[in-house]
Amino acid sequence: MIPVVVDTRRRPVRDLRLSVTDRCNFRCRYCMPAEIFNREYEFLKRDLLLTFEEIVTLARAFEQLGVEKIRLTGGEPLLRKGIEQLIAMLAGATGCEVTLTTNGSLLARKAEALVSAGLDRVTVSLDSLDDATFMAMNDVGFPVAAVLDGIEVASRAGLPVKVNAVVKRGVNDGGVVDMARHFRGTGHILRFIEYMDVGVTNGWRMDDVVPAAELVRAIDAEFPIEPVAPNYRGEVAKRWRYADGAGEVGFIASVTQPFCATCTRARISAEGMLYTCLFAVKGTDFRKILRSGADKEEIVRTIRRIWEARDDRYSEIRSEATVDLPKIEMSYIGG
């Protein structure tokens, strides 16, 4: 597809991340640490969230500019009341692939309805197969078995499933090979994500990052793997396949192998702020634009102007000076 709009680095906009809530029922240390979000944080009131109709209007405008894939995020998107209705609206109003990322806690209960609504794929966050480790990481005592049950129910319902694991040194890196062993041959693509400095509440340190190259070596020593070409330009995960044909595993190395040069993602927060980078420090208020009575063409023109001025490349310039910038929290902008 010929790009409809490109930024200053000739990057088109192909992927739209839509956060539908800033709330979550987990308190993962790398995203929404309990000591901050249980006491000090004020969650958005319902009237501050974009309505489903407003979300669809933005999605259609982005599609006009070249977006092909929409991912619903949060917080935990399955906490948003009527999420199935929104999926059906997006599937009906656009030709985009509609996907969703979830912590899996409500997936078993909602999988059938998500499929019926038209969801194309689901990505489940699962950072460890060890109960003690996983419960410590989600910090609410939620068990591994319940997430695995959600994955199984979703798969039986016909949803393709990917599994994402954020790896933090000294916390869950010892279970990486066990996770590879578990998901080999299941048809589910497991992807390991380097621990990133998104937001400012997670206490990120470079020493906590396990480089993707180290993870590749660990898995390859147990189950030989070989690199695979990307499916498309801008794919963030480096693809590897098991030499014995047991499927794929992926590695998202934003810290040690930045992919800013091919990033095609735009992000809308739950209250309608457009961010052109996961590590953004400011955005554009599209809730205000929408509620001022702007029509679709005006919205398209505004998005075009913002994207054409985009010059983000945070991961390429990451340094001691950038780490402490007042970045947007992961729970607010989505992954």
Side-chain angles (χ1 to χ4, degrees):
M1 178 178 177
I2 298 172
V4 177
V5 61
V6 294
D7 67 11
T8 62
R9 298 178 181 275
R10 306 301 299 169
R11 296 170 295 189
V13 58
R14 290 283 186 258
D15 307 272
L16 179 61
R17 299 267 168 140
L18 283 164
S19 176
V20 296
T21 180
D22 62 336
R23 297 174 185 269
C24 188
N25 52 351
F26 283 9
R27 289 294 179 267
C28 298
R29 303 292 309 169
Y30 56 80
C31 179
M32 190 181 275
E35 63 269 20
I36 302 292
F37 290 88
N38 284 357
R39 294 197 305 269
E40 303 173 20
Y41 190 79
E42 184 175 344
F43 291 99
L44 294 169
K45 295 178 181 177
R46 186 169 182 81
D47 65 329
L48 296 180
L49 299 176
L50 290 182
T51 66
F52 290 172
E53 290 77 13
E54 289 169 338
I55 290 172
V56 170
T57 296
L58 284 175
R60 292 181 64 210
F62 271 96
E63 183 183 26
Q64 188 170 321
L65 290 170
V67 160
E68 299 170 341
K69 180 170 68 176
I70 295 169
R71 180 177 298 279
L72 301 179
T73 69
E76 170 48 49
L78 296 185
L79 289 177
R80 179 75 185 257
K81 185 177 180 181
I83 187 69
E84 302 90 346
Q85 178 188 353
L86 174 59
I87 291 167
M89 290 169 68
L90 288 168
T94 75
C96 297
E97 180 185 31
V98 182
T99 70
L100 179 145
T101 295
T102 174
N103 61 28
S105 60
L106 301 173
L107 187 55
R109 187 188 314 172
K110 289 182 171 282
E112 291 282 355
L114 296 174
V115 172
S116 296
L119 189 69
D120 292 302
R121 190 178 68 251
V122 66
T123 298
V124 180
S125 299
L126 177 63
D127 298 322
S128 178
L129 291 175
D130 176 74
D131 249 336
T133 300
F134 181 62
M135 288 191 290
M137 292 187 75
N138 66 55
D139 208 17
V140 294
F142 199 84
V144 172
V147 179
L148 293 177
D149 183 49
I151 291 171
E152 178 61 26
V153 172
S155 183
R156 288 202 308 264
L159 271 178
V161 178
K162 290 184 178 180
V163 179
N164 282 354
V166 173
V167 182
K168 187 174 180 181
R169 190 175 299 282
V171 177
N172 63 333
D173 52 322
V176 165
V177 173
D178 288 339
M179 291 196 72
R181 179 179 296 107
H182 179 89
F183 287 106
R184 270 171 42 87
T186 63
H188 309 320
I189 298 176
L190 173 64
R191 302 187 300 184
F192 294 105
I193 303 174
E194 290 179 345
Y195 177 43
M196 293 182 290
D197 52 322
V198 183
V200 295
T201 63
N202 63 6
W204 183 90
R205 302 180 311 143
M206 187 66 194
D207 289 348
D208 294 327
V209 177
V210 183
E214 183 178 326
L215 300 177
V216 169
R217 289 193 298 270
I219 293 173
D220 184 57
E222 185 78 15
F223 308 108
I225 54 178
E226 54 195 19
V228 184
N231 285 309
Y232 54 89
R233 181 178 185 266
E235 186 172 26
V236 299
K238 299 286 188 181
R239 298 173 60 210
W240 292 70
R241 64 187 171 205
Y242 294 106
D244 64 1
E248 279 191 27
V249 61
F251 302 88
I252 300 175
S254 173
V255 178
T256 64
Q257 301 171 47
F259 40 81
C260 301
T262 57
C263 178
T264 62
R265 294 181 176 182
R267 291 173 166 83
I268 302 285
S269 74
E271 62 179 19
M273 298 293 291
L274 168 61
Y275 297 99
T276 55
C277 180
L278 180 58
F279 302 97
V281 297
K282 62 181 180 179
T284 302
D285 188 351
F286 270 82
R287 184 186 65 202
K288 182 178 180 180
I289 294 170
L290 286 160
R291 295 182 185 179
S292 71
D295 61 21
K296 181 186 171 187
E297 292 310 311
E298 183 178 347
I299 293 168
V300 168
R301 287 195 298 271
T302 304
I303 296 170
R304 177 186 292 277
R305 184 173 67 251
I306 292 167
W307 193 264
E308 287 179 341
R310 177 185 184 234
D311 192 35
D312 304 296
R313 58 186 190 98
Y314 176 90
S315 289
E316 290 182 349
I317 61 174
R318 181 184 280 107
S319 68
E320 292 299 322
T322 60
V323 166
D324 292 327
L325 290 175
K327 300 182 290 292
I328 307 302
E329 296 296 333
M330 175 78 82
S331 57
Y332 174 84
I333 195 175

